[in-house]
Amino acid sequence: MRLLVVPGSLRLGSYNVALAQAARELAPDGVEVDVYRDLGAVPPYDADADGPAPPAAVRELRERIAEADAVLFVTPEYNGSVSGVLKNAIDWASRPPGAAALTGKTVAVAGVTTGQYGAIWAQQDLRRILGIAGARVIEGELPVARAQDVFDGEGRLLDDGVAARLRQHLENLVAEASRVAIAA
């Protein structure tokens, strides 16, 4: 089972990246976790640049999503919604219609903020965006609030409760992706 984790932040010290890294350690046995860190290389969506030879960064993004059995999107909350770079990546991954990397892909969402709500608005928007893009979004979210108290200065997850919730969220994602694969 291959799981791609896409943090929606470009910042090196991002708590969303830290949660994505923690997914490597907490994923179920036998799950290979790949963290995608190249959102900054994906150009703004331009239908004129899309087609048989899209930009190299777009090809790589689409390939990594297509090769994954499931994807976990981890979003910060900017102005009450998802980050622009994450929305842009989803726009690219949702095309071409009928043959997009996200079409039918089993995905889950999570979000991390330093505030008290754990990016719940962004996760709600992300669920809607991914569903419209053609992904199969599993039930449940993973809001992580007050990130500065959950991670240490090196980005290591310190909170056992958050670790247990992340582990369960990953198990649910992997189980659903496995169920879909068996049914296919």
Side-chain angles (χ1 to χ4, degrees):
M1 172 74 59
R2 295 183 63 183
L3 172 64
L4 179 65
V5 183
V6 181
S9 178
L10 302 179
R11 192 170 61 82
L12 290 177
S14 164
Y15 292 121
N16 287 274
V17 172
L19 189 71
Q21 298 292 356
R24 281 188 169 144
E25 299 168 21
L26 298 171
D29 290 340
V31 175
E32 176 188 332
V33 178
D34 176 23
V35 178
Y36 181 80
R37 290 289 294 135
D38 296 322
L39 285 183
V42 177
Y45 182 75
D46 177 358
D48 291 337
D50 202 357
V58 171
R59 278 195 315 275
E60 180 189 352
L61 171 68
R62 288 174 173 169
E63 287 170 6
R64 286 177 66 186
I65 291 172
E67 291 169 357
D69 297 298
V71 182
L72 173 64
F73 290 91
V74 185
T75 185
E77 189 165 275
Y78 295 158
N79 297 314
S81 192
V82 300
S83 66
V85 294
L86 184 55
K87 173 63 168 70
N88 180 59
I90 293 168
D91 288 345
W92 279 108
S94 69
R95 289 165 176 79
L102 278 174
T103 300
K105 187 66 62 177
T106 303
V107 304
V109 300
V112 184
T113 62
T114 55
Q116 63 184 356
Y117 299 113
I120 57 173
W121 288 345
Q123 289 182 74
Q124 290 170 356
D125 285 354
L126 185 55
R127 291 178 63 80
R128 182 177 48 80
I129 292 164
L130 287 165
I132 291 169
R136 299 182 65 258
V137 186
I138 71 164
E139 290 297 319
E141 298 166 350
L142 179 63
V144 179
R146 293 186 169 77
Q148 65 277 13
D149 300 328
V150 173
F151 297 93
D152 69 12
E154 301 299 315
R156 288 182 295 264
L157 182 58
L158 301 174
D159 187 296
D160 291 339
V162 171
R165 289 178 27 234
L166 175 58
R167 184 178 293 112
Q168 184 62 58
H169 200 50
L170 294 169
E171 288 174 4
N172 294 345
L173 175 58
V174 167
E176 182 62 19
S178 295
R179 187 187 70 71
V180 169
I182 290 169

